[in-house]
Amino acid sequence: MPKLKIFVGTMYGGALDVAEQVQPLFEDAGYEVEIFDQPTLADLTDTPTDLALFCVSTTGSGDVPGNMVPFVRELDARSPGLTELRYGMIALGDGSYVDSFCGAGRSLDERLQGQGATRLGERLEIDAMETFMADDAAIPWVEEWIATQQLKVA
């Protein structure tokens, strides 16, 4: 059974809630799913990752939440090369912060691509000013992502 790892960057739990809400969709598609709410680079690189999903909220001036800082620092320091990684990105932000809207997800996306990783499809950006419950936007996006990227294995 292929493995999907969901990496969560969250400040108040919204991104973790999204991860937990979409987990059954991937299980139904035939994946063994593991959620990392204190992610490290080792979680990504030390065991095979068939597919990854990043659920990342934005804090401050476009910053990565504190629980994801070690992952990002290790990624920047080690430059592991992630040419085999296929991933999706769900970025959460607040549209009233025009210059830094979804900044954490956007910058992580650039870092991953800079390491040779391949994002499948478009990044989902969820605006807290427009969508009260982020999973209301994430669930249909994941359903469509699984279908359009032909990710179903079961």
Side-chain angles (χ1 to χ4, degrees):
M1 179 178 286
K3 180 122 184 177
L4 167 75
K5 296 179 182 178
I6 303 178
F7 296 89
V8 177
T10 192
M11 191 72 169
Y12 301 111
L16 179 58
D17 183 56
V18 167
E20 291 170 343
Q21 294 298 317
V22 301
Q23 179 177 358
L25 301 174
F26 288 103
E27 291 170 342
D28 290 345
Y31 289 86
E32 177 187 342
V33 179
E34 188 170 2
I35 295 174
F36 297 90
D37 61 357
Q38 295 293 323
T40 65
L41 188 58
D43 295 328
L44 180 64
T45 60
D46 286 0
T47 59
T49 302
D50 298 299
L51 184 64
L53 178 66
F54 292 86
C55 296
V56 183
S57 62
T58 299
T59 65
S61 299
D63 301 320
V64 174
N67 74 307
M68 194 159 229
V69 168
F71 177 91
V72 171
R73 284 186 180 151
E74 289 176 287
L75 184 64
D76 289 345
R78 286 192 33 211
S79 299
L82 300 172
T83 56
E84 301 297 316
L85 180 65
R86 300 176 317 136
Y87 72 95
M89 178 69 65
I90 298 176
L92 291 80
D94 181 332
S96 66
Y97 293 89
V98 177
D99 294 335
S100 60
F101 174 66
C102 289
R106 290 176 180 179
S107 68
L108 180 58
D109 205 359
E110 288 176 15
R111 284 179 166 97
L112 292 168
Q113 290 181 32
Q115 294 288 336
T118 302
R119 187 185 70 228
L120 303 177
E122 295 300 315
R123 175 179 57 237
L124 172 63
E125 295 185 350
I126 301 173
D127 185 349
M129 297 297 290
E130 296 175 1
T131 307
F132 179 68
M133 298 296 292
D135 54 314
D136 288 344
I139 289 172
W141 180 87
V142 166
E143 290 171 336
E144 183 178 330
W145 190 62
I146 290 170
T148 59
Q149 299 301 317
Q150 302 176 354
L151 300 174
K152 189 170 183 162
V153 293

